[in-house]
Amino acid sequence: MRIRVEIADDISEKEIIIKTPFYDKQTEDISELLSSFDKKMQLAFYRQGREYYLSVDDFLFFETEGRQVYAHTVDRIYVTKYRLYELEKILTSNFVRASKSAILNVDKVWSLTHSLSNNLIEFNGSQKQIYVSRRYYHAVKEKLEGRGIEHE
């Protein structure tokens, strides 16, 4: 089996084509595996003694406080058993580290305000905000470029 990746600047969405002389179990398995990447990733989250299975795309950001990791949606806060470094490995590409204690969902960012004293992220439809450390500022800004995010 050969694998070839072509980079095309003229497309806006990834397209995967499987060329095969016949359809067999291996082709079906590869197709199913590739299709599973497009599904929404769900993880277990906890709130008030209940366990919830939610799509990670619904979260604005993840942050640590003490030894606990909190997952923030627009109107709720959940606890997760994952550590930030574990989340960093399993989250989709729309998440980026914002500081030693936070990972944010760039698809939910409303604005990034850069000043001499701090870098502040505001989110769509929420009053929640987080700070981006100087160490991670350029990586966050690079992820936000081209997404129509305001920079002050």
Side-chain angles (χ1 to χ4, degrees):
M1 175 172 33
R2 294 181 319 179
I3 297 175
R4 184 177 71 192
V5 176
E6 294 178 11
I7 308 299
D9 295 339
D10 60 337
I11 63 171
S12 62
E13 187 178 6
K14 291 178 182 149
E15 177 183 26
I16 298 174
I17 299 170
I18 302 171
K19 290 184 179 181
T20 181
F22 52 88
Y23 193 84
D24 60 0
K25 177 72 171 134
Q26 183 184 31
T27 306
E28 181 181 353
D29 290 345
I30 291 170
S31 179
E32 286 178 11
L33 178 65
L34 291 171
S35 295
S36 72
F37 282 105
D38 201 28
K39 294 179 182 166
K40 301 231 183 245
M41 180 190 302
Q42 288 190 332
L43 297 175
F45 297 95
Y46 306 90
R47 185 169 187 270
Q48 298 176 338
R50 295 180 75 182
E51 187 170 348
Y52 298 89
Y53 291 91
L54 304 168
S55 170
V56 295
D57 292 335
D58 293 336
F59 290 92
L60 304 174
F61 62 96
F62 297 89
E63 71 175 344
T64 59
E65 188 176 305
R67 295 186 52 87
Q68 198 70 60
V69 176
Y70 296 96
H72 292 259
T73 64
V74 170
D75 56 353
R76 291 209 164 81
I77 300 173
Y78 297 88
V79 174
T80 181
K81 292 184 178 179
Y82 291 96
R83 298 282 167 234
L84 281 184
Y85 72 89
E86 293 172 322
L87 287 169
E88 214 171 9
K89 289 178 184 176
I90 62 176
L91 290 172
T92 57
S93 63
N94 52 321
F95 287 87
V96 64
R97 182 70 82 137
S99 67
K100 185 178 175 184
S101 61
I103 297 173
L104 66 93
N105 183 347
V106 294
D107 290 342
K108 303 292 185 180
V109 171
W110 172 254
S111 70
L112 167 62
T113 304
H114 179 66
S115 69
L116 292 175
S117 60
N118 62 41
N119 306 299
L120 183 68
I121 292 281
E122 296 178 283
F123 296 95
N124 288 329
S126 175
Q127 297 298 318
K128 295 182 181 183
Q129 304 173 333
I130 63 169
Y131 291 98
V132 177
S133 70
R134 285 182 291 170
R135 178 179 178 192
Y136 295 99
Y137 172 77
H138 292 292
V140 169
K141 186 175 178 185
E142 190 175 294
K143 276 276 199 184
L144 294 172
E145 291 296 326
R147 294 180 183 264
I149 306 301
E150 292 179 27
H151 301 285
E152 293 181 11

